[in-house]
Amino acid sequence: MSATRAATPPTRHAAVDPVRPGRSLPTLVRHLAVATGVALLVLTVSYQLDSFRNYQLATVAAYLCATAGLTVLTGLCGQLSLGHGALMATGAYSLALAQNAFAERGLTAGGWLAVSLVVAVLATVVVGAVVGVAAARLRGPYLAGLTLAVAVVVPALTVTFDGVFNGEQGLAVPVAPAPAALGSYFPHERWQLWVAAAASLICLVLLANLVRSRYGRSFRAVRDDEVAARLAGIHVARTQVVAFVVSAASAGLGGALLAVLAQSVSPGAFGLTLSLFLLMAVVIGGLGRIAGAAWGAILLVALPDLTHSLTNLFTLSPAAAQRLEGNLPLAIFGSTLIAVMIVAPGGVQGLLSRLARAMRARWPVGRS
C-alpha cells in the first residue's frame, strides 16, 4: 500500500506537467486567428473605400504601432514617456535614408521596402536602448523630463545636420509602386493600406503574445510595486529597459510606416505635440489595454478632420482660422481626456469591457 501511495503523486504530476508548456499555444493560435480575421476584413473593406479613406485607414494602422508600444511601456510597465514622437522620427528618417541608399544603387523593387522597415526598427531599438538605460535610473518628473528632452532634441538634430537630413525640408522617400501582378491601374493607396495593415498586425500579434508571457507579468509586477517585484526575483532595471526597447521598436515601425505613406519625412511632423497626442490617445483609448490603443489611433486620425469641420463652422479671417485650427486639436484632446476620465476612468476600452460584463451578467449565455 505504501509503495502504491508513494507512486501516486508522480503519476499525477506526470499527467499534469506536460499540459503546462502547451497553455501558451492556444493564446498564440487565438491571436493569429484574430489577426487573420482582421486582415481579411481589411482586404474586403479596402475594395469598398475610396482612395482617401484607404489612406486614412493606413494612417490608423501606422499610428496603432506607436500607441500599442506606448501602451506596453506606460500602461503595463508604468514608465511615463513624453518622447515617443522622437522615436517615430528616428524610424521615419532611418527608413528614408535606407530607401534613398537603395534607390541610388538601383534597388527599387518592393522587397527592399521590407528591408528598410527592418533597418528602421533596428535603428530605433538602438536609440530606445540608450534612452531606456538612462530612464531605468529615473523616476517621476525626472523620467518625464528625460523623455521630454528626447522629444525636443531628436527633431532639432535633423535641422542641425542638414547635410544628412536636409534640414526643415526633410527627405523624400522613394517607394516602389504596387506589384505589377495586381494590375497597372491598382490604386496606390490600397497597396499602402495593405502594407501598413500587414506590418501593424505583425506588431500587434508580437505585442499581444509578449503581454501574455512572463515578460508581461514582469512588466505588471514592476508597475504595481518595484520593491515587491525585486523581492520576487525580478530584475527591475532590466525589465524597464526591455519595456522601453519594445515600445521604441513599435514606435519606430509606426514612424517608418508614416514615412512610407507620406513618401517624405520632415522634422515638423514629429514635434513635441505628436508625443503629447500619443500619450493622450493612449489614455483615452484605455491605458494598459492593447485594444485601447486602437481607439487612440483612430482618434489621432479623426482629429484633423474634426478640427477642419469645426473651423469651417465659423466665419473667420484666414489668419484667425489658421490659429484656431492650430490650437483646436489640443483643446479637443484635452476636453475629451477630461470627459473620459470622469465618465470612464478606464478609457473607451474599459467602458466597453464594463458594458460587456454587465450584459453577460444580465443575459447569461447557456444558462436557463
Side-chain angles (χ1 to χ4, degrees):
M1 291 294 292
S2 61
T4 304
R5 291 176 182 172
T8 302
T11 303
R12 291 177 186 170
H13 290 295
V16 175
D17 287 345
V19 180
R20 292 177 181 172
R23 287 180 181 175
S24 61
L25 182 59
T27 301
L28 175 60
V29 172
R30 185 168 62 252
H31 291 159
L32 290 176
V34 172
T36 303
V38 173
L40 293 176
L41 179 62
V42 171
L43 181 66
T44 304
V45 170
S46 65
Y47 282 95
Q48 310 301 322
L49 300 177
D50 57 27
S51 297
F52 178 68
R53 297 304 178 190
N54 277 327
Y55 179 82
Q56 282 189 314
L57 199 55
T59 308
V60 170
Y63 278 126
L64 181 53
C65 296
T67 54
L70 186 56
T71 295
V72 171
L73 178 66
T74 303
L76 292 179
C77 198
Q79 291 183 282
L80 178 65
S81 174
L82 300 176
H84 261 54
L87 296 175
M88 293 183 70
T90 303
Y93 271 96
S94 298
L95 179 129
L97 293 173
Q99 284 291 99
N100 281 288
F102 291 148
E104 290 176 359
R105 292 167 175 77
L107 304 175
T108 58
W112 291 101
L113 178 60
V115 178
S116 298
L117 288 173
V118 173
V119 170
V121 171
L122 293 178
T124 316
V125 163
V126 174
V127 176
V130 174
V131 177
V133 169
R137 301 173 178 271
L138 302 175
R139 301 291 183 274
Y142 303 102
L143 175 60
L146 172 66
T147 55
L148 183 64
V150 173
V152 175
V153 169
V154 170
L157 289 177
T158 61
V159 179
T160 302
F161 298 97
D162 56 350
V164 178
F165 303 108
N166 200 27
E168 292 285 354
Q169 295 181 354
L171 297 173
V173 180
V175 179
L182 296 175
S184 56
Y185 297 101
F186 191 83
H188 184 66
E189 290 79 7
R190 187 182 301 162
W191 171 244
Q192 288 180 319
L193 172 58
W194 289 7
V195 172
S200 179
L201 287 175
I202 292 173
C203 177
L204 290 180
V205 169
L206 294 176
L207 289 178
N209 282 278
L210 178 70
V211 168
R212 295 277 185 166
S213 68
R214 65 183 182 90
Y215 292 102
R217 292 189 292 272
S218 298
F219 292 163
R220 285 185 284 269
V222 171
R223 175 199 63 189
D224 294 338
D225 194 327
E226 292 187 12
V227 176
R230 191 175 290 109
L231 293 175
I234 298 174
H235 197 297
V236 174
R238 184 185 304 160
T239 301
Q240 291 175 333
V241 172
V242 169
F244 211 103
V245 168
V246 170
S247 183
S250 302
L253 178 60
L257 291 176
L258 284 180
V260 172
L261 298 179
Q263 298 186 30
S264 65
V265 56
S266 62
F270 302 97
L272 177 60
T273 304
L274 175 60
S275 299
L276 298 177
F277 280 169
L278 288 173
L279 183 60
M280 287 191 287
V282 167
V283 174
I284 293 172
L287 197 60
R289 295 177 172 90
I290 298 295
W295 296 110
I298 293 173
L299 184 59
L300 283 171
V301 176
L303 185 63
D305 281 349
L306 179 61
T307 302
H308 185 70
S309 299
L310 290 177
T311 305
N312 290 336
L313 294 177
F314 304 97
T315 304
L316 302 172
S317 63
Q322 185 177 5
R323 286 196 300 270
L324 179 62
E325 194 165 347
N327 296 319
L328 195 57
L330 277 174
I332 293 176
F333 248 120
S335 303
T336 306
L337 181 62
I338 294 172
V340 169
M341 289 300 98
I342 294 175
V343 177
V348 175
Q349 187 61 31
L351 178 61
L352 294 177
S353 299
R354 284 165 49 193
L355 292 176
R357 286 194 298 268
M359 292 178 64
R360 284 197 299 267
R362 186 174 181 85
W363 294 288
V365 180
R367 297 180 183 177
S368 57

